[in-house]
């Protein structure tokens, strides 16, 4: 029972929800009795199309869209890598995103997920380069999209100082990048998640210390959201 389990998690102190669901999901049933205006809500659909969009519109019809901290956790590149030639074309996906953005269904409809590359062992400078290049691909392909439509996800490792510096460096690079495009500076919304790579199956108490250190890196690095 998703509503009951979600309410239990929120009552225990969580201040956000990430929901992964099938295209035919009815979100009005999943989010019943949940006060969205107090939470960070990120939806992770398997596809951009589906009945879930209509049910999400029904939810927003009785809410103040501008007051909601909502995001769409759909990664264009991951979909292509997993589905291959059967995936929707990049341009067609951006058309879907444009419609979602125009309807103001989410504050941050486009996800730039760099955590996949960190978990695969990419160096920190490589992660920053990938983040900027993917953002440039999206904004260059569809100039009508606003930089505010993007949100970024980074994975944090156990190197406390360098992980903190990585997030701070990204913010500075993002500002310089927007300057190069002649666009007004907007603060990048950054999600930070603890990496699973440094964790040990035989040292649970050490894992608590590692996870705490990684979380503090995200906070000091300026992440607006911790997963």
């Amino acid at each position: 029972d998703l509503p009951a389990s979600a309410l239990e998690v929120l009552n225990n102190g969580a201040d956000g929800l990430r929901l992964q669901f099938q295209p035919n999901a009815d979100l009005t049933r999943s989010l019943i009795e949940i006060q969205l205006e107090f939470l960070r809500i990120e939806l992770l659909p398997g596809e951009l199309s589906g009945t879930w969009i209509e049910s999400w519109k029904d939810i927003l019809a009785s809410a103040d869209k501008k007051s909601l901290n909502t995001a769409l956790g759909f990664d264009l590149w991951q979909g292509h890598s997993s589905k291959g030639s059967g995936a929707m074309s990049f341009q067609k996906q951006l058309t879907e995103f444009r419609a979602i953005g125009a309807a103001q269904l989410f504050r941050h409809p486009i996800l730039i997920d760099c955590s996949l590359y960190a978990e695969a062992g990419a160096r920190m400078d490589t992660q920053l380069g990938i983040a900027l290049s993917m953002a440039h691909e999206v904004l260059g392909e569809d100039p009508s999209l606003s930089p505010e439509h993007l949100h970024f996800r980074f994975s944090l490792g156990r190197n406390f100082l360098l992980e903190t510096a990585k997030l701070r460096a990204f913010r500075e690079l993002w500002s310089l990048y927007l300057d190069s495009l002649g666009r007004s500076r907007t603060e990048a919304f950054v999600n930070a998640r603890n990496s699973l790579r440094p964790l040990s199956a035989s040292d649970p108490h050490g894992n608590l210390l590692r996870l705490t250190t990684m979380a503090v890196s995200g906070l000091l690095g300026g992440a607006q959201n911790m997963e």
Side-chain angles (χ1 to χ4, degrees):
D1 187 356
L2 179 56
S5 60
L7 287 171
E8 181 181 0
V9 169
L10 294 173
N11 288 333
N12 287 333
D15 56 7
L17 289 175
R18 297 181 70 215
L19 301 180
Q20 187 170 4
F21 50 88
Q22 298 298 321
N24 60 351
D26 183 357
L27 297 178
T28 58
R29 298 179 59 186
S30 302
L31 297 173
I32 190 171
E33 297 183 2
I34 295 177
Q35 296 177 287
L36 303 184
E37 62 271 21
F38 299 111
L39 304 172
R40 165 76 174 178
I41 302 292
E42 183 176 347
L43 303 183
L44 288 75
E47 300 177 10
L48 287 178
S49 59
T51 56
W52 69 269
I53 294 182
E54 297 305 318
S55 64
W56 180 245
K57 289 180 179 178
D58 291 339
I59 293 174
L60 296 181
S62 59
D64 181 5
K65 297 179 183 179
K66 295 182 180 180
S67 67
L68 300 182
N69 187 2
T70 57
L72 182 62
F74 184 89
D75 182 32
L76 287 77
W77 289 268
Q78 185 179 15
H80 275 280
S81 62
S82 61
K83 297 180 181 179
S85 59
M88 186 187 300
S89 71
F90 189 80
Q91 290 74 17
K92 189 173 181 180
Q93 285 184 336
L94 282 179
T95 301
E96 296 280 348
F97 277 122
R98 188 187 300 114
I100 290 173
Q104 298 182 337
L105 299 183
F106 298 93
R107 179 178 293 183
H108 305 115
I110 300 178
L111 171 65
I112 305 295
D113 191 353
C114 298
S115 64
L116 305 171
Y117 307 97
E119 297 295 341
R123 299 191 331 175
M124 293 186 187
D125 55 345
T126 302
Q127 296 172 44
L128 296 177
I130 290 173
L132 292 174
S133 64
M134 290 197 297
H136 180 70
E137 182 75 15
V138 171
L139 297 177
E141 188 69 35
D142 189 351
S144 67
L145 291 171
S146 167
E148 294 180 342
H149 287 149
L150 277 61
H151 63 120
F152 299 83
R153 178 177 295 136
F154 288 96
S155 183
L156 301 175
R158 63 186 300 178
N159 195 320
F160 175 75
L161 292 177
L162 288 181
E163 293 292 356
T164 302
K166 178 178 74 176
L167 297 185
R168 293 187 176 186
F170 173 72
R171 294 191 174 283
E172 183 64 25
L173 291 171
W174 180 245
S175 296
L176 294 174
Y177 169 67
L178 293 180
D179 289 344
S180 71
L181 295 180
R183 300 202 183 197
S184 59
R185 289 192 177 188
T186 57
E187 187 177 14
F189 192 97
V190 174
N191 298 276
R193 68 191 311 175
N194 291 336
S195 172
L196 299 179
R197 298 185 73 208
L199 304 184
S200 171
S202 59
D203 186 14
H205 297 95
N207 287 340
L208 290 176
L209 296 175
R210 298 181 185 101
L211 290 169
T212 300
T213 300
M214 290 187 280
V216 173
S217 294
L219 294 174
L220 295 181
Q224 290 98 325
N225 190 59
M226 290 294 302
E227 301 176 10

